């Protein structure tokens, strides 16, 4: 309800005439889509962010990105802490789920740590981008630096370069800029790695063995999901580029589908296999308790470990000398089934409704449910029904599948257990 409320308020505010450059009221369906995309840190747009929205509209979008990246519950509790209010046990419990805190008692300390880290990383990111954007855009480069630093750290994918001067169309104009791409890569990875992982890194430095199991799994899975796609893109997608440019492009394209949504190259020119790899990365997303959406790295890791355990005839998956409980495996399996069904069914609906190729529609639905924002240029052309489907996917992808299910259902503690019978799978 918190996410839905922020989306609705943001949509209504974006309708105000001074939020648009031409001083006219933007239709509610367009502002609702924009607000949903911003709060769900996705980046899909139906109105160009750079040319349609005024400075006030862009600032409002940036505020929604920040709220969506931190999480509505985290922002509400942060405001309470800054105002000196005491945080109730119920609020702490809600925040524990929001940021994946291990204990209720750690919530207040952890949220203060998160706020300090967010401000630090976004400030450093903006300062790092400042020389580049000020060189190209003068004083306006200050605003561009802040906007893109926050957008990258929150894994939102909104940019203000979409339809600027022809010399810089979107971020493709910076395809040769190692400066910009390296800064964005670092912000995206840091923002999507998870709040608990930051704490372990700060607390234990390089003593990896002392990290929490979740941090270990998130770091290793994230590294694999960056390196393997980067190797693929290096050899099969950018073979015509110089060596340095190949490495940069491959690394950026391996990182940005992990719910970030920036693109420096023409995605429509990529091979079907390259786009398929990107769809897989978009569905997986970032790590729990981060600014990223998607299935999450730990979900995929648990399923892979469970498959390995089944192949080895082990009763449960194991890693780093620890056993993963059955409830975690069940939740992971439920999540991937829900995401895949939504991703596929939504793609079929949009393809049938719009008369478009299935692979293009699946790319858009993966981008929406993974809260990524990468697009093949399809979103602005869609009819209202298809846009509503994408909005539902974005909301689902940011809030979380199990969260929505638990909120909509009640637990009957008096349910009796039915007789058990074996069924063969595989």
């Amino acid at each position: 309800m918190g996410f839905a409320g922020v989306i609705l308020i943001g949509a209504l505010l974006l309708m105000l005439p001074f939020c648009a450059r031409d001083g006219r009221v933007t239709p509610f369906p367009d502002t609702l889509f924009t607000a949903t995309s911003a709060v769900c840190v996705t980046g899909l747009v139906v109105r160009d962010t750079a040319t349609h929205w005024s400075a006030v509209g862009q600032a409002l979008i940036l505020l929604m990105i920040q709220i969506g990246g931190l999480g509505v519950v985290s922002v509400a509790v942060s405001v309470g802490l800054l105002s000196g209010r005491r945080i109730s046990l119920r609020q702490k419990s809600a925040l524990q789920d929001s940021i994946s805190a291990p204990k209720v008692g750690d919530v207040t300390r952890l949220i203060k740590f998160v706020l300090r880290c967010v401000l630090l990383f976004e400030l450093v990111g903006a300062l790092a981008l400042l020389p580049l954007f000020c060189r190209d855009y003068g004083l306006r480069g200050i605003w561009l630096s802040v906007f893109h630093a926050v957008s990258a750290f929150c894994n939102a994918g909104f940019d203000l370069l979409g339809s600027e001067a022809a010399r810089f169309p979107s971020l493709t104009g910076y395809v040769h800029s190692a400066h910009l791409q390296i800064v964005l890569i670092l912000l995206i990875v840091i923002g999507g790695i998870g709040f608990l992982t930051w704490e372990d890194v700060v607390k234990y430095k390089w003593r990896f063995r002392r990290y929490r199991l979740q941090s270990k799994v998130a770091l290793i899975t994230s590294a694999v999901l960056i390196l393997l796609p980067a190797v693929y893109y290096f050899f099969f997608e950018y073979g015509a580029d110089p060596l340095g440019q190949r490495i940069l492009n491959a690394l950026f394209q391996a990182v940005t589908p992990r719910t970030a949504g920036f693109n420096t190259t023409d995605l429509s020119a990529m091979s079907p296999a390259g786009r398929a790899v990107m769809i897989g990365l978009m569905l997986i997303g970032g790590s729990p308790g981060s600014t990223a959406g998607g299935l999450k790295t730990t979900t995929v890791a648990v399923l892979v470990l469970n498959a390995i355990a089944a192949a080895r005839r082990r009763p449960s998956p194991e890693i780093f000398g620890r056993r993963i409980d059955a409830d975690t495996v069940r939740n992971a399996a439920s999540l991937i089934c829900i995401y895949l069904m939504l991703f596929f069914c939504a793609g079929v609906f949009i393809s049938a409704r719009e008369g478009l190729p299935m692979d293009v529609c699946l790319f858009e639905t993966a981008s929406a449910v993974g809260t990524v924002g990468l697009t093949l240029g399809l979103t602005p052309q869609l009819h209202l029904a298809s846009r509503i489907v994408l909005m539902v996917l974005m909301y689902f992808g940011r809030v979380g599948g199990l969260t929505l299910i638990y909120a909509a259902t009640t637990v009957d503690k008096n349910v009796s257990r039915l007789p058990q019978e074996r069924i063969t799978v595989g």
Side-chain angles (χ1 to χ4, degrees), residues 23 28 59 63 69 80 99 147 183-184 221 235-236 242 267 312 337 353 375 385 418:
F28 180 71
L63 177 61
I99 61 176
F147 189 97
V183 172
L184 292 184
T221 309
F235 286 106
F236 297 104
L267 299 181
R312 299 174 64 184
C337 286
R353 175 68 178 82
T375 179
L418 296 174

Side-chain angles (χ1 to χ4, degrees), residues 279-280 283-284 295 303 332-348 358 362 365-366 369 393 396:
I279 286 175
L283 289 174
I284 294 171
L295 273 168
L303 291 174
S334 301
L335 274 174
I336 196 166
C337 286
I338 294 170
Y339 269 81
L340 290 178
M341 284 191 296
L342 282 174
F343 151 71
F344 182 75
C345 293
V348 170
M358 186 65 181
L362 287 177
T365 56
V369 77
L393 291 179
F396 180 92

Side-chain angles (χ1 to χ4, degrees), residues 255-280:
V255 170
T256 191
R258 303 281 306 290
T259 86
F262 293 111
N263 67 293
T264 55
T265 57
D266 184 9
L267 299 181
S268 61
M270 191 172 288
S271 70
R275 290 203 293 267
V277 171
M278 196 165 284
I279 286 175

Side-chain angles (χ1 to χ4, degrees), residues 156-195:
F158 280 82
D159 72 83
L160 297 181
L161 308 176
S163 297
E164 290 283 347
R167 62 194 182 110
F168 292 130
S170 189
L171 296 184
T172 55
Y174 289 96
V175 66
H176 300 293
S177 174
H179 180 166
L180 177 81
Q181 295 190 53
I182 290 173
V183 172
L184 292 184
I185 286 172
L186 291 175
L187 287 171
I188 292 166
V189 171
I190 293 171
I193 207 68
F195 303 140

Side-chain angles (χ1 to χ4, degrees), residues 282-338:
M282 289 193 291
L283 289 174
I284 294 171
S287 299
S290 70
T291 61
L295 273 168
K296 302 297 190 295
T297 54
T298 50
T299 303
V300 175
V302 166
L303 291 174
V304 171
L305 292 171
N306 190 53
I308 294 172
R312 299 174 64 184
R313 298 296 182 92
R314 296 288 179 85
S316 57
E318 301 170 355
I319 187 172
F320 293 115
R322 295 291 186 271
R323 175 175 54 84
I324 300 173
D325 66 278
D327 284 342
T328 302
V329 177
R330 186 177 67 241
N331 287 341
S334 301
L335 274 174
I336 196 166
C337 286
I338 294 170

